[in-house]
């Protein structure tokens, strides 16, 4: 009496949970690597902000 047939309202919501989990883990990994890169970019100045040292006036 209706227990075996799926409800037509829920027919569009068949999620592939493996694909959603895999995509979420990849997204989280990319965000983690971007965060690490931002942290290290502030510590390593590879010539971007080098300023000439002022000449010393002491003898």
């Amino acid at each position: 009496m209706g227990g075996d047939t799926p409800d037509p309202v829920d027919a569009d919501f068949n999620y592939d949970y493996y694909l959603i989990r895999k995509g979420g883990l990849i997204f989280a990994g990319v965000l983690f690597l971007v965060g690490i890169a931002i942290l290290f970019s502030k510590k390593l100045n590879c010539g971007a902000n080098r300023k000439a040292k002022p000449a010393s006036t002491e003898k």
Side-chain angles (χ1 to χ4, degrees), residues 9-20:
V9 175
D10 293 334
D12 293 335
F13 298 102
N14 292 325
Y15 295 115
D16 185 7
Y17 290 106
Y18 175 76
L19 183 63
I20 292 172

Side-chain angles (χ1 to χ4, degrees), residues 6 9 15 18 26 30 43 58-59:
V9 175
Y15 295 115
Y18 175 76
I26 291 172
V30 168
K43 292 184 180 182
E58 296 178 24
K59 288 188 177 182

Side-chain angles (χ1 to χ4, degrees), residues 1-57:
M1 286 221 323
D4 295 332
T5 59
D7 193 14
V9 175
D10 293 334
D12 293 335
F13 298 102
N14 292 325
Y15 295 115
D16 185 7
Y17 290 106
Y18 175 76
L19 183 63
I20 292 172
R21 187 182 334 147
K22 186 176 176 182
L25 286 173
I26 291 172
F27 184 69
V30 168
L31 286 179
F32 176 75
L33 291 176
V34 167
I36 295 296
I38 289 171
L39 286 175
F40 281 121
S41 70
K42 291 182 180 180
K43 292 184 180 182
L44 300 175
N45 292 330
C46 298
N49 292 329
R50 288 187 184 173
K51 295 180 181 178
K53 292 183 181 178
S56 177
T57 56

